[in-house]
Amino acid sequence: MTDIEVRAYLDRSEILDVFALVDECSRHDGTTPLSEHVLLHLRHGGDHDVRHLLARGADDRLIGYAHLDVTDLVEGPSAEVVVLPSCRRQGTGHALVAQVLRVAESAAPGAGLRLWAHSDTVSARALTQSLGFARTRVLWQMRRSLVTPLPSTPLPAGVLLRTFLPGIDDAEWLALNAAAFAHLPDQGGWTSADLQRRMEEPWFDPAGFLIATDTAGAMVGFHWTKVHGGEHAHDDADHDRLHAEGTEHLHGHGHDPLGEVYVVAVAPGHQGTGLGRVLVEAGLRHLAALGLTQAMLHVDAANAPAIALYSSLGFTHWGTDVLYRHT
C-alpha cells in the first residue's frame, strides 16, 4: 500500500473513484459503508473543514477511503472509513483510522474522535479496541415486509394529511423539525441548505413527503419517506457514462429498491395522540403503492418507546450501526 494522502478537497475523478469503491463494498457487504451525510458531502462539495484520506494500492487503485468532518465544535470530529473487500485484514483499515486520529487531533486538539461503523462486525470491534475507542451509541436498522397487510389507524380528530409543497413549506417544516428533534442536533439542526440539498437528490419525491396539519393549516407532524437502492447496476458503459456526466448519478446500494421511513416526527404539543403511528402507517401504504416489497428504518437502540412502536407495526431488527469514541 502506498502512503495515505490527506486532502482538503477532491477533484471529480477522485470523487468518482470513491463512489466506485462504495459501489463495490455495497455489493459485497449488502449495506452502504458510508452514511447519507457523507455521500451528500461528496456529491455536493460538503463543508470546508473536511479531510479526505485516500489509500491507493500498487496499481494506483483506490483501496481505502476515510471521511473526517471537524465542523462539530460541540460533539467533536467524526469519521467514517471504507476499505476494499479484497484488501481487508491487511492493515489498510488500521492505517487509515490511525491517520484519521492524527489528523483529527491536529485539527481539534483534545476534542476526541467519533467513528461510525455501519455494521457491528468482529473486525470493527477489534480494530476500534486496538486503537483505544469505546462503544458509545448503537443504531438499529429495522425492516418490515410491505407485502403483508398494513394497518390503517384513523387520523386523530382535527388532523389532516397532505403532501409537502417545496418552496412553500420549507421554513415551517424546518421549524417543526428543529422543535421535534431539539434533543438530536444532527437532525434538529438542519438548515435550509440541508433541506435543499436533499430535495435536489434524484430520490426526492414530494408525493412521499407526508405532512400532518391542524384545521388551521399549521404543521403538527410529518413522515418523509424515501426509496433507495436498485437505481442501476454499473457495467463498463455505466462507468464510462459516470466519468462523462459527473457525480449526479446515485451509487449502487447492493440490494433491490427499499422503501425507507426516512424521518418521522410529531410536534411536541401533539405527541401522545397516536399521530406518530398514523404517519408511519400512511408512509408505509405510500411505499407499498409504489410496488416496493420491503421497508426499512433506523432507530436508536436505546429508544425503547420508538422500537416498541415499530415492532408493533411489524418491523424487526435487521442490522446494527455503532458509534465509537476515542478519548
Side-chain angles (χ1 to χ4, degrees):
M1 186 184 72
T2 58
D3 291 338
I4 295 170
E5 185 177 6
V6 181
R7 301 282 300 279
Y9 298 95
L10 299 180
D11 64 30
R12 181 172 139 187
S13 65
E14 291 166 334
I15 292 172
L16 289 168
D17 284 346
V18 174
F19 274 99
L21 173 63
V22 170
D23 281 354
E24 186 160 348
C25 293
S26 298
R27 289 192 294 270
H28 180 273
D29 300 332
T31 186
T32 307
L34 298 178
S35 66
E36 179 198 53
H37 174 76
V38 170
L39 294 172
L40 285 170
H41 275 219
L42 285 166
R43 195 187 311 281
H44 297 286
D47 293 320
H48 294 295
D49 290 329
V50 165
R51 305 291 183 272
H52 306 274
L53 286 77
L54 306 172
R56 295 190 180 273
D59 58 355
D60 202 41
R61 183 184 185 188
L62 187 68
I63 61 173
Y65 169 75
H67 181 279
L68 172 63
D69 188 336
V70 296
T71 59
D72 194 329
L73 302 180
V74 177
E75 292 295 325
S78 65
E80 300 182 31
V81 176
V82 55
V83 175
L84 191 70
S86 61
C87 296
R88 294 172 184 171
R89 298 178 180 84
Q90 299 175 24
T92 304
H94 189 282
L96 274 169
V97 176
Q99 181 71 352
V100 166
L101 279 168
R102 290 189 286 271
V103 176
E105 178 60 24
S106 176
L113 176 68
R114 294 172 295 146
L115 179 68
W116 277 105
H118 294 291
S119 57
D120 189 15
T121 63
V122 173
S123 57
R125 292 195 294 270
L127 172 61
T128 52
Q129 184 177 5
S130 71
L131 287 169
F133 285 85
R135 185 182 178 105
T136 59
R137 187 184 178 195
V138 177
L139 291 180
W140 276 13
Q141 183 186 141
M142 303 182 76
R143 292 196 184 186
R144 184 203 197 278
S145 170
L146 293 175
V147 177
T148 57
L150 293 165
S152 183
T153 305
L155 281 164
V159 175
L160 305 173
L161 202 60
R162 63 171 175 83
T163 58
F164 182 81
L165 302 174
I168 298 174
D169 286 335
D170 299 19
E172 188 176 5
W173 181 84
L174 285 167
L176 173 56
N177 183 68
F181 293 104
H183 60 297
L184 288 175
D186 285 350
Q187 175 66 38
W190 278 18
T191 65
S192 177
D194 293 321
L195 175 61
Q196 185 63 35
R197 192 173 293 127
R198 285 161 175 80
M199 290 195 295
E200 292 172 353
E201 285 292 289
W203 55 260
F204 176 72
D205 179 8
F209 196 163
L210 307 179
I211 302 294
T213 70
D214 61 20
T215 53
M219 287 188 195
V220 297
F222 65 88
H223 180 184
W224 189 350
T225 68
K226 177 180 179 181
V227 179
H228 69 131
E231 291 87 3
H232 59 76
H234 286 322
D235 55 20
D236 290 340
D238 288 325
H239 187 267
D240 291 342
R241 190 182 70 250
L242 280 169
H243 277 276
E245 298 179 4
T247 60
E248 66 273 13
H249 294 275
L250 289 176
H251 64 286
H253 287 259
H255 55 69
D256 291 332
L258 277 172
E260 182 176 354
V261 178
Y262 183 47
V263 194
V264 60
V266 174
H270 288 260
Q271 292 173 3
T273 64
L275 178 56
R277 172 181 289 272
V278 171
L279 284 167
V280 174
E281 292 176 1
L284 293 177
R285 288 196 299 275
H286 167 77
L287 294 171
L290 296 177
L292 300 171
T293 61
Q294 288 282 324
M296 61 163 286
L297 58 85
H298 287 95
V299 60
D300 196 301
N303 191 343
I307 290 176
L309 168 62
Y310 296 133
S311 297
S312 71
L313 290 170
F315 283 90
T316 58
H317 179 241
W318 180 271
T320 304
D321 292 345
V322 182
L323 178 65
Y324 297 92
R325 181 180 283 275
H326 191 272
T327 55

